[in-house]
Amino acid sequence: MSDGVEVLRALHLRRPPGEPLILPGPWDAASARALAEAGFEALATPSAGVAAALGYADGETPADEMFAAVARITRAVDVPVTADIEDGYGLAPKELVERLLAAGAVGCNIEDSTGGALKDPREHAGYLAEFCAAAAGRIFLNARVDTFVHGDGDPGRAVEQAVERAALYLAAGAECVYPIMAPVAVLPLLRSGIEGPLNALALLTPDGPSPAALGKLGATRITFGPQLQRRATAAAAELAAGLR
């Protein structure tokens, strides 16, 4: 959809506390269609979920297969799709933009770590700036911040680094920041220190906070990573056991 990026952009703006944008994660065309038919206004592919559906471990999907999977998802629905493209697969910013647009995506996540180590934040901000220049407003960039998964293990330092990195990435042109795996307790600190929209990962556990609760703590949008795909696989395994 030609105006999909503007729809996605608008969905992030002026959201009341407790009403974050909820972006469930499809892993193939069938799951994307089911989620769109359920009424979700936009979708966010999870790289780990797509990898599992394609038979790969997380982080091992070849770029061509990931973009092909995203294209099948975008063709299946009439809502905006933002794609998790990991750390960009080593592609130059202009080529990455071209591959996303060809796949029909109007948004993406780009990680600031590779091989389990954080990238230099200023170098990564430079890459994001080149990406945003090439995208020219056609792709909504959600800059993932990995200080809580690849930092030194100090939660306070992880918050400080996340805020510092977020400022650099937003200045480079990112429109949302995603400090993945940030503990719920630090969301208010991140919210107070980060100027732009904030993406939080919701854990689908009985005692986990609801999306609305995460919104009240400062999250602008909620994603779920590969949890929906893993639940669907578990349901298939249970069905298979019953058939046996």
Side-chain angles (χ1 to χ4, degrees), residues 42-58:
L43 306 175
T45 70
S47 61
V50 173
L54 295 175
Y56 293 101
D58 185 20

Side-chain angles (χ1 to χ4, degrees), residues 55-129:
Y56 293 101
D58 185 20
E60 296 184 4
T61 308
D64 287 349
E65 292 199 46
M66 182 62 75
F67 287 114
V70 171
R72 288 191 290 272
I73 288 169
T74 64
R75 285 197 299 267
V77 296
D78 290 324
V79 298
V81 175
T82 177
D84 182 346
I85 52 169
E86 304 179 269
D87 66 353
Y89 307 108
L91 299 174
K94 186 175 184 296
E95 183 180 358
L96 190 55
V97 167
E98 291 169 351
R99 297 292 296 272
L100 282 163
L101 293 174
V106 296
C108 72
N109 291 358
I110 300 179
E111 303 169 4
D112 69 348
S113 66
T114 187
L118 291 168
K119 296 179 180 180
D120 178 272
R122 295 192 178 279
E123 289 181 7
H124 187 60
Y127 180 90
L128 296 184

Side-chain angles (χ1 to χ4, degrees), residues 96-191:
L96 190 55
V97 167
E98 291 169 351
R99 297 292 296 272
L100 282 163
L101 293 174
V106 296
C108 72
N109 291 358
I110 300 179
E111 303 169 4
D112 69 348
S113 66
T114 187
L118 291 168
K119 296 179 180 180
D120 178 272
R122 295 192 178 279
E123 289 181 7
H124 187 60
Y127 180 90
L128 296 184
E130 290 184 47
F131 176 91
C132 292
R138 295 173 293 172
I139 297 175
F140 184 98
L141 174 60
N142 184 37
R144 206 179 93 171
V145 178
D146 288 359
T147 60
F148 293 96
V149 289
H150 297 308
D152 60 11
D154 180 339
R157 178 61 180 155
V159 170
E160 181 182 337
Q161 290 178 321
V163 170
E164 291 170 355
R165 286 170 177 259
L168 290 171
Y169 304 161
L170 291 166
E175 297 182 74
C176 186
V177 177
Y178 180 18
I180 191 169
M181 298 304 294
V184 172
V186 306
L187 281 179
L189 291 174
L190 293 170
R191 176 67 286 160

